[in-house]
Amino acid sequence: MRVGFTLRIAMAATLALAQIGCDDRTAGTEVGNPDIAMNVTARIIVIGDPGRVEISSLVFKMFGMGYGAAGKSAADSGTCWKRPDGILMDMARFDCLPLADTLVEARSWPWTWAHLVLRTPEGPTSLPDSSDFNTWTNPRYVKFHMINGSDTLPALFEMPAGTELQLAFTQASLQFWPWQSEIWVPFVFDASLWTANLNLAGPWKTHTDGKHARYVLLSPSENAIAWAHLKAGLATAFVADTVQVMTVPAAPGAGR
């Protein structure tokens, strides 16, 4: 999927993040001797759509990254960030805190493939009808603003329940991941591509939050046509060589 575009964006994201810096990582690991170990570090970037759409919250659950090298032993393949219940990560935040660094043996590089697993998060069905939209949070929804000329309208996109995205990268893309003695894994989401077919002018069915401000809910039952467009584009907005969409059972009690 968009292989040439993947290579260009992956390299650009890596270089941009190198210049910006991401010093507030959660892990306390040291790179140590680069001949023995390398840090695997998440680098998250949302490609925006300035003056049209601004995303303030975009949460996924990370269920791990597998990697491997052809022609090497099983010890040179493995996983990073794998947790039974996943790790919540808000891709709209640029503090690089969601995922801890992981040490891998330097001998495992170069990898020939890598495979990221993301899932849409669970969350309550409640809405900010009695609270301030700007401070209200719920991982079930993507929170963004639609900008149509002088009109700015807050919006919520309800994540499709039980959806797993499997992002696969080939060796051609992986060549841009090493940075000094680290391996930088790019999580790149193209918000401008995701919202390309969204008609910002509506017409919309709207809600009112606790501060009496309008907002739009995009869900299977409200503004359903726009929701369907965004649902279909969710996977293709990720920059990867291929993205496979799977359906997984919802966690017990999800959505209560």
Side-chain angles (χ1 to χ4, degrees):
M1 181 181 297
R2 300 177 296 147
V3 176
F5 181 72
T6 298
L7 298 179
R8 178 169 56 83
I9 293 298
M11 181 169 64
T14 299
L15 294 176
L17 287 163
Q19 295 171 353
I20 294 170
C22 256
D23 298 328
D24 295 327
R25 297 189 296 259
T26 51
T29 55
E30 296 289 339
V31 175
N33 186 339
D35 294 330
I36 298 175
M38 300 176 72
N39 264 359
V40 180
T41 304
R43 289 295 185 257
I44 298 171
I45 187 168
V46 175
I47 302 173
D49 196 353
R52 187 174 186 275
V53 171
E54 295 179 357
I55 294 180
S56 56
S57 182
L58 174 65
V59 181
F60 283 89
K61 264 192 174 183
M62 174 65 176
F63 275 85
M65 177 187 73
Y67 64 88
K72 293 189 177 183
S73 68
D76 297 314
S77 300
T79 60
C80 299
W81 308 309
K82 191 170 184 179
R83 304 288 189 277
D85 297 324
I87 305 170
L88 280 177
M89 49 182 282
D90 190 342
M91 294 185 61
R93 295 176 58 189
F94 292 94
D95 54 10
C96 298
L97 293 178
L99 301 174
D101 295 342
T102 302
L103 281 176
V104 299
E105 293 191 5
R107 70 175 187 177
S108 70
W109 191 264
W111 299 344
T112 55
W113 61 269
H115 185 216
L116 304 175
V117 178
L118 301 175
R119 290 183 190 171
T120 54
E122 302 86 15
T125 56
S126 58
L127 295 168
D129 292 355
S130 60
S131 58
D132 186 347
F133 180 95
N134 293 318
T135 57
W136 177 86
T137 60
N138 186 338
R140 185 187 187 95
Y141 302 96
V142 179
K143 186 176 172 182
F144 63 103
H145 285 76
M146 299 183 293
I147 305 169
N148 184 27
S150 60
D151 185 25
T152 298
L153 188 59
L156 297 174
F157 167 76
E158 183 176 335
M159 286 284 205
T163 299
E164 179 174 286
L165 305 178
Q166 300 181 3
L167 283 61
F169 298 86
T170 63
Q171 191 169 17
S173 295
L174 296 176
Q175 65 178 303
F176 298 109
W177 289 17
W179 181 261
Q180 298 179 353
S181 57
E182 294 185 289
I183 301 170
W184 284 13
V185 181
F187 291 76
V188 183
F189 185 86
D190 189 341
S192 59
L193 181 63
W194 181 50
T195 60
N197 293 323
L198 184 63
N199 179 10
L200 301 181
W204 304 113
K205 178 180 179 181
T206 62
H207 285 248
T208 303
D209 74 359
K211 297 291 185 178
H212 309 294
R214 288 189 313 144
Y215 74 90
V216 172
L217 172 64
L218 307 176
S219 75
S221 58
E222 289 191 31
N223 302 300
I225 294 176
W227 178 83
H229 280 303
L230 293 182
K231 177 190 175 185
L234 195 63
T236 57
F238 277 94
V239 177
D241 292 309
T242 59
V243 180
Q244 186 175 4
V245 181
M246 309 287 290
T247 300
V248 297
R256 293 181 180 175

